[in-house]
Amino acid sequence: MIRAALVRLHRWAGVAIAGFLIVVGLTGSLLAFWNEINHWITPDLYPGPHAGIELDAAILARRAEALAPQARATQVYLGYIGTAWVTMEALEGAPPLAFDQIYLDTVTGVELGRLKFGVFPTRRAEVMPFVYKLHYALALDDPGGWILGVVALVWTIDCFVAFALTLPRARGRSRKSFFARWKPAWLVKWSGSLYRVNFDFHRAGGLWLWAMLLIYAWSSVMMNLDVVYSRVTGFFLVSVRRQVESDESLVIQ
């Protein structure tokens, strides 16, 4: 009865979160090559290294504010050789900006372009920022972050449900040890039917990668539901510390 309920829970949890994980996985793969893709699709924004002394961040911030007097610079990113991102926000009382980043040449201070980060792309320069926002918040700002946080929490819980489903059932008077009965869950029977091979591959693959999947899931909770992450992690750390202190006191006695 309990096992049947766990099977249904695991199945429906997988169906519910699969689409989100596919989107996050694909966009994350693209973000791993952020620099290369950006240089490829928008070479005009990334001139690369060239002769001259690079301006410091303060000068670049003042330059951006001179180009957009209705805004102020809040951050200067110098992660690209030859290009600086200057994040801007509207001054108090000023109308909303049509952009939130100005690209500057780090040597000459010349403006290379302006960008509204995370909007649906209508220009090549907006493609990777949109992919970034899609990855971290489904391009929905705070609601998207909460949705991904809930998905990560379901994923975390499902890791334990899936692990429990791999454990061998009680066999009454079976002479085989627990580990002998659990061993098939770690293996793939390649000589079986297509369904059996697929099932074994799913189960064994999940077991061998279980720790890594749990880390991915729980770290995703940390990124989007920090309140839940902090409280649960804190609870377990306090429990472990109390247990260690209790064991130490017993040893001393």
Side-chain angles (χ1 to χ4, degrees):
M1 193 73 170
I2 295 178
R3 190 178 186 88
L6 290 178
V7 169
R8 293 192 187 94
L9 180 61
H10 178 58
R11 183 178 299 157
W12 285 108
V15 171
I17 68 178
F20 296 100
L21 296 183
I22 290 172
V23 170
V24 172
L26 290 176
T27 53
S29 299
L30 291 175
L31 291 178
F33 300 96
W34 172 291
N35 289 2
E36 292 80 2
I37 295 175
N38 259 340
H39 281 73
W40 174 52
I41 63 177
T42 55
D44 51 318
L45 297 181
Y46 302 93
H50 48 285
I53 300 176
E54 292 193 340
L55 304 174
D56 62 33
I59 294 176
L60 291 168
R62 289 197 295 269
R63 172 61 176 161
E65 290 174 345
L67 291 167
Q70 77 279 27
R72 69 182 184 92
T74 60
Q75 184 179 9
V76 178
Y77 179 71
L78 300 172
Y80 298 100
I81 299 177
T83 301
W85 286 8
V86 184
T87 303
M88 310 293 289
E89 68 177 18
L91 295 173
E92 186 175 353
L97 300 175
F99 60 93
D100 50 26
Q101 288 183 343
I102 294 180
Y103 291 70
L104 299 177
D105 187 302
T106 56
V107 175
T108 64
V110 170
E111 180 179 336
L112 301 172
R114 299 187 182 191
L115 175 70
K116 186 72 173 179
F117 197 92
V119 297
F120 187 82
T122 57
R123 298 181 295 144
R124 289 179 299 171
E126 296 169 342
V127 171
M128 289 307 294
F130 177 75
V131 170
Y132 178 92
K133 194 170 183 180
L134 188 61
H135 178 77
Y136 283 99
L138 300 175
L140 296 174
D141 296 317
D142 290 341
W146 278 95
I147 292 172
L148 288 181
V150 172
V151 168
L153 189 58
V154 172
W155 186 15
T156 301
I157 296 172
D158 190 50
C159 283
F160 292 98
V161 172
F163 186 85
L165 288 173
T166 69
L167 299 177
R169 301 181 185 184
R171 293 296 184 183
R173 298 180 179 180
S174 174
R175 296 181 179 181
K176 290 185 177 181
S177 67
F178 172 84
F179 291 104
R181 288 184 287 117
W182 195 25
K183 181 180 178 180
W186 295 81
L187 305 173
V188 177
K189 187 178 180 181
W190 297 105
S191 60
S193 65
L194 181 62
Y195 172 83
R196 176 59 188 268
V197 171
N198 182 65
F199 176 80
D200 284 355
F201 191 77
H202 173 77
R203 182 177 59 180
L207 273 174
W208 285 105
L209 300 175
W210 187 83
M212 182 182 70
L213 294 172
L214 179 62
I215 291 172
Y216 281 154
W218 192 234
S219 62
S220 299
V221 174
M222 181 271 294
M223 295 180 68
N224 295 288
L225 287 179
D226 184 61
V227 174
V228 175
Y229 175 86
S230 299
R231 291 184 177 180
V232 174
T233 303
F235 171 79
F236 279 102
L237 290 178
V238 169
S239 299
V240 171
R241 186 182 66 182
R242 288 176 177 173
Q243 184 62 46
V244 170
E245 291 175 349
S246 175
D247 293 342
E248 289 177 348
S249 64
L250 290 174
V251 170
I252 294 173
Q253 291 175 2

